[in-house]
């Protein structure tokens, strides 16, 4: 049996070049790297706020809708 199947639960071949934290998925590593780079690809058009995670933008947009802060 290969190492992958023996330790599938803890298999994390991808490593962050900045802090050596390991990840199992490329997408999770890409999101983590934003912590180090400061990149914020998700933005609100109404108030020009930027977010590193799409979920934070979604939460912001819900609050804007409730408080009517952002314009369409």
């Amino acid at each position: 049996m290969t190492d992958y199947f023996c330790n599938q639960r803890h298999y994390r071949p991808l490593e962050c070049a900045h802090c050596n934290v390991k990840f199992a998925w490329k997408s999770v590593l890409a999101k983590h790297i934003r912590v180090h780079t400061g990149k914020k690809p998700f933005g609100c058009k109404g108030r020009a706020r930027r977010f590193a995670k799409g979920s934070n933008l979604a939460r912001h947009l819900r609050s804007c809708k409730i408080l009517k802060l952002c314009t369409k």
Side-chain angles (χ1 to χ4, degrees):
M1 232 186 243
T2 64
D3 189 37
Y4 173 77
F5 292 108
C6 293
N7 299 310
Q8 187 173 3
R9 187 174 181 165
H10 301 289
Y11 182 70
R12 297 178 180 180
L14 305 169
E15 187 172 319
C16 175
H18 301 279
C19 65
N20 301 323
V21 175
K22 294 185 177 187
F23 299 92
W25 303 100
K26 195 176 195 178
S27 60
V28 177
L29 173 61
K31 290 176 190 175
H32 169 77
I33 288 175
R34 292 183 201 144
V35 171
H36 302 294
T37 62
K39 184 177 178 185
K40 296 182 178 184
F42 303 98
C44 174
K45 294 177 184 176
R47 296 179 67 198
R49 293 202 49 196
R50 307 291 300 172
F51 302 92
K53 296 170 82 178
S55 60
N56 290 344
L57 172 61
R59 183 177 54 215
H60 168 75
L61 292 175
R62 282 192 304 273
S63 68
C64 284
K65 185 176 180 182
I66 292 169
L67 299 174
K68 299 183 177 155
L69 296 173
C70 295
T71 59
K72 291 183 180 181

